[in-house]
Amino acid sequence: ETGVTQTPRHLVMGMTNKKSLKCEQHLGHNAMYWYKQSAKKPLELMFVYNFKEQTENNSVPSRFSPECPNSSHLFLHLHTLQPEDSALYLCASSLSLGEGVEQFFGPGTRLTVL
Amino acid sequence: DAKTTQPPSMDCAEGRAANLPCNHSTISGNEYVYWYRQIHSQGPQYIIHGLKNNETNEMASLIITEDRKSSTLILPHATLRDTAVYYCIVRQNSWGKLQFGAGTQVVVTP
């Protein structure tokens, strides 16, 4: 499989549940990202990882907990979410954080919090 | 990062060229112009990027004005599958951050 994959594609969870989103990239990239896209809002960057190290946390609430065990995998652990957290969560990767480097996005996980 | 201004929507006839404008009057010398598009309910797709010179690839052409305060994305022969939201982004590269705005909703009609 090539590119950036995300699982699950759709997720419905209650506010007391704990779930995890998974992202995997098969591009040999070293940087990975989580974005959130709420209805009728622009994409918002959540986290950036470079060589497994977190380099950016865009003031994300602690109920979202990222994990990057290696450069190919990125997780977003979810617990005690709120209905307003319902959104499309997108993972992306890039070769590096450097100049003129494009990011490749996965298809996203559509999350609904009841 | 410099802010960008794009028209909220535009229509284009199938087979014709689509010219998408973007203003970025506060761009600084080391900031690249990126274009992405997002087809409904899918992840954004990279189209093209440039710094000073005009760029062309298999998807589109990017024309950047000499003062770099605006740019135009050109889809040479629009198809129905080009219907999407197109984002113009100016990014200072050292942080890897892409700051998406509202973009331009492009609708290609038969």
Side-chain angles (χ1 to χ4, degrees):
Chain A
E1 198 165 359
T2 59
V4 181
T5 58
Q6 291 186 243
T7 54
R9 294 294 309 277
H10 299 272
L11 177 62
V12 179
M13 61 186 288
M15 289 190 286
T16 59
N17 291 158
K18 289 185 179 181
K19 297 287 184 183
S20 296
L21 309 184
K22 178 183 177 182
C23 175
E24 184 173 2
Q25 57 95 1
H26 309 268
L27 301 167
H29 289 169
N30 299 307
M32 297 187 78
Y33 313 78
W34 279 116
Y35 287 85
K36 174 185 177 182
Q37 187 173 32
S38 303
K40 302 189 185 301
K41 289 185 178 179
L43 277 81
E44 304 170 63
L45 179 68
M46 299 175 74
F47 302 103
V48 180
Y49 278 82
N50 192 36
F51 290 98
K52 303 188 298 179
E53 299 298 321
Q54 188 180 119
T55 60
E56 177 111 7
N57 177 336
N58 200 24
S59 302
V60 180
S62 60
R63 57 185 184 272
F64 295 91
S65 174
E67 178 190 1
C68 189
N70 55 62
S71 292
S72 298
H73 294 85
L74 185 64
F75 295 89
L76 188 62
H77 303 300
L78 317 171
H79 63 98
T80 59
L81 294 192
Q82 304 298 312
E84 58 265 29
D85 296 322
S86 298
L88 181 68
Y89 288 85
L90 291 155
C91 173
S93 72
S94 63
L95 183 60
S96 70
L97 297 182
E99 297 181 359
V101 177
E102 60 265 35
Q103 294 181 16
F104 294 84
F105 285 80
T109 294
R110 175 70 62 185
L111 173 68
T112 302
V113 182
L114 301 176
Chain B
D1 291 344
K3 289 186 176 179
T4 61
T5 303
Q6 298 178 253
S9 63
M10 62 184 296
D11 295 336
C12 178
E14 186 179 19
R16 304 293 294 271
N19 298 310
L20 282 63
C22 179
N23 287 326
H24 31 80
S25 58
T26 58
I27 193 171
S28 59
N30 61 346
E31 291 181 318
Y32 283 72
V33 179
Y34 288 77
W35 283 85
Y36 282 76
R37 72 180 184 184
Q38 187 174 22
I39 296 170
H40 183 62
S41 294
Q42 296 183 20
Q45 177 188 22
Y46 166 80
I47 301 174
I48 199 167
H49 73 277
L51 183 62
K52 294 181 181 178
N53 300 321
N54 298 336
E55 302 288 344
T56 295
N57 62 21
E58 63 278 3
M59 289 183 68
S61 295
L62 174 60
I63 308 299
I64 303 174
T65 58
E66 193 168 343
D67 63 7
R68 301 203 334 116
K69 293 185 177 182
S70 65
S71 60
T72 301
L73 179 75
I74 301 173
L75 307 178
H77 304 286
T79 71
L80 299 179
R81 288 175 293 182
D82 292 322
T83 293
V85 178
Y86 287 76
Y87 299 99
C88 169
I89 302 164
V90 172
R91 194 193 94 177
Q92 186 174 9
N93 287 284
S94 58
W95 301 104
K97 181 188 297 186
L98 288 177
Q99 190 166 348
F100 287 79
T104 296
Q105 172 68 65
V106 172
V107 177
V108 180
T109 55

